[in-house]
Amino acid sequence: MDQEKRNQRSIDPATLVMLEHAEKEGLETAWDRHDKQDPQCGFGLLGVCCRNCNMGPCRIDPFGGEPQRGVCGAGADTIVARNLLRAIAAGAAAHSDHGRDIVEALLHAATGEAPDYRIKDRDKLLVLAAELAIEVAGRSDEEIAADVASAALDEFGMSKGTLAFLNRAPEARRNVWSKFGLTPRGIDREIVEVMHRTHIGVDNDYVNLILHGLRTALSDGWGGSMWATELSDVLFGTPQPVEGVSNLGVLKEDQVNIIVHGHEPTLSEMIVEAARDPELLELARAQGAQGISISGMCCTGNELLMRHGVPVAGNFLQQELAIITGAVEAMIVDVQCIMPSLTGLADCYHTEIISTSPKAKFPGAKHVPFEEKSALKIAKEIVRMAVENYPNRNPDRVFIPREKMEFVAGFSVEAILSALGGSLDPLLEAIKEGAIKGIVGIVGCNNPKITHDYGHIALTEELIKNDVLVVETGCTAIASAKRGLLLPEAAAKAGPGLRSVCEALKIPPVLHMGSCVDISRILVVAAAVANALGVDISDLPLAGAAPEWMSEKAVSIGTYVIGSGIYTVLGTVPPVLGSENVAALLTAGANDVIGAAFAVEGDPLKAASLIMEHINGKRSKLGLP
Ligand code: SF4
Ligand code: MSK
């Protein structure tokens, strides 16, 4: 492949170096497989393929010819809406099941069944207890934590009432939810109801379907994801600004390299602790290594970098490239965003792929089941496997790109408040005066349909240039880390207003707020700003964007973000264009119901213009300059 074509695959220098190396080694990556899928199925792209029953699969002719109905009589509107709902349900389930695992980890820590975990943030535990009206006087942290965890568990299958964190939203927003029947009931219940409604012959009204999709997604954002974030903070500590290093150059030529990849912090926290074990460090030296180096990938990486400044080796599309460095002794995976291709690539090297979750096994991987009750023991066992694998590394095949970049991360809501001096007032003032024009959350994945990291970086840079404070999570935040945008010095790239605020507060113009479930932190900030100004979230100069999204989780995220009243621009097209009605509802009609809608724009600079237009419109409605 010539360099010009390769340059269309990524803007990240380390990735480009590794893609060339992969090619020389004759190894296939997601980009190659994406090329081989060309042309992708047109029915699938438009969302007009249905296989919800065995009279099908059915498809609708998108050009108005025959067939226009599935065997059961379902038309394009029903089929597209049902498919979208199933994607929302899968995404909400992934976040919320992750959330449930964290809740259970806290419960087991509190009851002594997971003795390696301790409550790290007592203050946050007490804040949550107060929010849930749980008695704290005269009780131990463990007793309080057990009650908080039980209350959280009840929210998954609750039989009456609504989710506790909905009360964080402004009253005006809760009224919108209530008026249109969008107030989520139990988290599991909404997901189950999607599966019921999308079964053949149940809900065939696309508007009714989409409304339930919004309710389901809201149960993720204000339920499952928010619980995951809050209780991870209680258990592992609420992030505070922390320095670290990013990109594949963090891998060490002379150390045992372990990459933790996936989403959950429960095991990876223990891996970090195990890697400090003197006995294992001694074993590493005995094997000829200078030490044990842990780095992260995707959102497990984000969880660790937010709390410990653990280096992050890359984002979603770099996971295969990490193995192709030939320098990774073990890649430890849990759940979500882990490519099935990894084990095949690892077979070409000495790398061990070690799966740990009973929910996610990978043919060809070693499976070491992770159990909280013996968390540290299992973590040490896994680290030992990696260390003992070091002598199998072939130094002649090691190829680590030099590129790496420093970052500052750790901007939880609490950290932002503390940077602001303990109150939101300086931020509100900056927004009112126009030094900060608005706040935009940029989140989501990589997708070979878009030049890797280009969507994230071009949009981020354009917005900060326009005095927009950018908050990020997930693979977007890793892209910005690699680009140097998470450093206070990056304020030099911002417009004069944002630059002055960043310099005064000594913060970067792009704040890393965590992993995908931590988008709930962005909701909390949005709600707090709206409450402080006495308006609805939809009145604020805010926007969301997912320039390179690919996962079903991102579909749920986008849906709960618009459901929360925040205009959202997607960079890759969701499979809804097969129904003009569904597309119109999502991009326009939703404004009349929830005060926000989606836009789709693949060019990040045009997306930035759309966002600026939106922000300026909201500012003038609020009477701001
Ligand atoms: Fe076809 Fe209807 Fe069955 Fe879908 S539910 S596969 S449209 S018959
Ligand atoms: S890891 S969901 S690729 S952001 Fe959260 Fe990245 Fe998307 Fe996975």
Side-chain angles (χ1 to χ4, degrees):
M1 180 183 303
D2 59 33
Q3 192 60 37
E4 202 181 325
K5 175 145 192 245
R6 198 175 301 114
N7 286 347
Q8 287 166 12
R9 291 186 163 186
S10 179
I11 59 162
D12 171 45
T15 297
L16 288 171
V17 167
M18 288 310 298
L19 283 175
E20 190 176 353
H21 180 66
E23 224 178 288
K24 282 189 191 138
E25 296 281 304
L27 298 170
E28 189 183 71
T29 64
W31 285 273
D32 303 313
R33 292 189 295 274
H34 180 252
D35 285 353
K36 287 184 190 172
Q37 288 289 338
D38 193 43
Q40 290 185 314
C41 168
F43 299 108
L45 284 169
L46 296 173
V48 288
C49 168
C50 179
R51 43 187 182 78
N52 289 11
C53 89
N54 208 26
M55 291 190 287
C58 303
R59 78 242 181 268
I60 303 299
D61 182 340
F63 303 109
E66 287 299 333
Q68 283 299 304
R69 300 259 161 208
V71 176
C72 67
D77 294 345
T78 305
I79 291 176
V80 168
R82 282 196 310 213
N83 288 342
L84 180 69
L85 245 66
R86 286 196 169 198
I88 292 171
H95 283 148
S96 300
D97 209 33
H98 164 173
R100 186 197 333 257
D101 284 347
I102 301 291
V103 175
E104 286 184 337
L106 178 66
L107 185 62
H108 296 152
T111 54
E113 291 160 87
D116 298 326
Y117 297 102
R118 284 170 300 278
I119 291 157
K120 292 248 178 73
D121 189 341
R122 179 169 196 270
D123 290 347
K124 187 146 203 172
L125 176 67
L126 296 182
V127 167
L128 288 171
E131 203 171 347
L132 298 164
I134 287 170
E135 183 62 50
V136 296
R139 304 181 75 203
S140 70
D141 289 357
E142 287 68 27
E143 285 169 320
I144 300 166
D147 278 2
V148 168
S150 298
L153 267 188
D154 285 347
E155 296 226 319
F156 288 83
M158 71 196 299
S159 50
K160 53 180 186 291
T162 58
L163 307 179
F165 293 145
L166 298 180
N167 288 328
R168 294 175 171 189
E171 194 183 351
R173 184 63 7 198
R174 282 182 274 133
N175 289 342
V176 169
W177 292 337
S178 156
K179 181 173 169 197
F180 293 102
L182 304 180
T183 308
R185 301 153 299 174
I187 298 163
D188 292 349
R189 176 176 181 173
E190 306 305 357
I191 295 165
V192 167
E193 194 169 309
V194 168
M195 300 315 284
H196 178 193
R197 285 185 186 220
T198 56
H199 185 276
I200 178 185
V202 185
D203 199 352
N204 294 298
D205 180 320
Y206 74 94
V207 177
N208 205 39
L209 280 161
I210 303 275
L211 287 173
H212 181 62
L214 281 161
R215 179 162 56 182
T216 305
L218 288 167
S219 81
D220 169 1
W222 296 86
S225 281
M226 209 168 271
W227 279 114
T229 296
E230 297 290 25
L231 298 193
S232 292
D233 285 355
V234 170
L235 212 40
F236 306 119
T238 301
Q240 291 298 324
V242 65
E243 292 176 6
V245 188
S246 59
N247 218 342
L248 290 165
V250 304
L251 296 174
K252 301 277 194 317
E253 206 149 326
D254 55 357
Q255 296 195 23
V256 174
N257 287 306
I258 299 176
I259 294 185
V260 283
H261 174 25
H263 277 75
E264 295 183 348
T266 26
L267 169 66
S268 50
E269 283 277 336
M270 290 294 138
I271 295 282
V272 171
E273 203 170 320
R276 295 190 196 119
D277 181 83
E279 198 188 311
L280 288 168
L281 285 166
E282 187 47 47
L283 180 66
R285 280 189 283 274
Q287 306 280 358
Q290 296 301 309
I292 304 172
S293 168
I294 307 287
S295 48
M297 193 124 238
C298 284
C299 280
T300 295
N302 282 325
E303 297 278 356
L304 290 183
L305 75 82
M306 286 288 285
R307 297 195 175 88
H308 307 287
V310 167
V312 62
N315 49 10
F316 177 70
L317 276 176
Q318 291 179 288
Q319 56 187 288
E320 295 178 301
L321 307 179
I323 292 177
I324 298 173
T325 62
V328 177
E329 275 56 56
M331 187 178 269
I332 303 162
V333 301
D334 49 48
V335 290
Q336 302 169 19
C337 304
I338 302 146
M339 288 193 194
S341 62
L342 293 181
T343 47
L345 276 176
D347 282 347
C348 306
Y349 294 90
H350 72 303
T351 308
E352 291 284 5
I353 306 292
I354 301 173
S355 59
T356 54
S357 166
K359 296 172 197 170
K361 291 195 175 179
F362 295 76
K366 283 213 168 119
H367 188 70
V368 180
F370 175 65
E371 288 171 16
E372 285 149 11
K373 64 176 190 292
S374 8
L376 190 56
K377 180 169 165 280
I378 295 169
K380 284 184 184 174
E381 187 188 321
I382 293 174
V383 172
R384 178 180 292 275
M385 285 164 71
V387 170
E388 288 174 347
N389 195 22
Y390 183 75
N392 297 325
R393 187 195 287 186
N394 178 352
D396 296 337
R397 294 194 69 202
V398 170
F399 185 89
I400 303 174
R402 278 201 304 266
E403 284 75 11
K404 54 183 172 183
M405 178 59 80
E406 289 74 29
F407 62 78
V408 179
F411 288 95
S412 57
V413 178
E414 292 79 353
I416 292 174
L417 273 175
S418 131
L420 292 169
S423 120
L424 275 180
D425 293 348
L427 178 65
L428 299 179
E429 274 316 303
I431 294 174
K432 282 184 191 161
E433 287 164 5
I436 293 178
K437 295 264 168 29
I439 306 176
V440 174
I442 313 183
V443 305
C445 327
N446 301 131
N447 186 327
K449 290 179 176 176
I450 288 208
T451 304
H452 170 238
D453 286 355
Y454 172 69
H456 298 310
I457 297 303
L459 179 60
T460 302
E461 291 187 338
E462 190 63 17
L463 289 176
I464 61 171
K465 215 193 307 175
N466 280 284
D467 289 320
V468 168
L469 177 68
V470 173
V471 291
E472 295 185 340
T473 63
C475 290
T476 312
I478 299 174
S480 286
K482 292 183 290 172
R483 190 75 169 190
L485 295 175
L486 303 189
L487 292 168
E489 301 86 282
K493 293 189 173 184
L498 178 60
R499 180 162 67 227
S500 64
V501 173
C502 291
E503 284 168 357
L505 299 174
K506 298 187 176 52
I507 56 168
V510 182
L511 303 181
H512 190 335
M513 292 192 74
S515 64
C516 296
V517 291
D518 293 338
I519 294 167
S520 59
R521 298 191 201 274
I522 302 179
L523 294 181
V524 170
V525 172
V529 172
N531 283 329
L533 294 175
V535 296
D536 192 356
I537 295 174
S538 57
D539 298 322
L540 298 173
L542 305 180
E548 302 181 28
W549 76 274
M550 61 85 200
S551 73
E552 289 167 313
K553 289 180 291 174
V555 181
S556 176
I557 292 166
T559 310
Y560 73 63
V561 171
I562 65 159
S564 302
I566 302 173
Y567 170 70
T568 297
V569 183
L570 304 174
T572 61
V573 188
V576 298
L577 297 186
S579 160
E580 273 178 32
N581 284 330
V582 171
L585 176 59
L586 295 172
T587 55
N591 271 317
D592 301 330
V593 183
I594 46 174
F598 284 113
V600 181
E601 177 50 68
D603 177 342
L605 298 180
K606 288 187 187 154
S609 300
L610 288 176
I611 288 172
M612 289 316 300
E613 202 181 307
H614 171 80
I615 282 178
N616 289 330
K618 292 293 176 187
R619 289 187 66 85
S620 62
K621 275 201 190 135
L622 285 172
L624 300 178

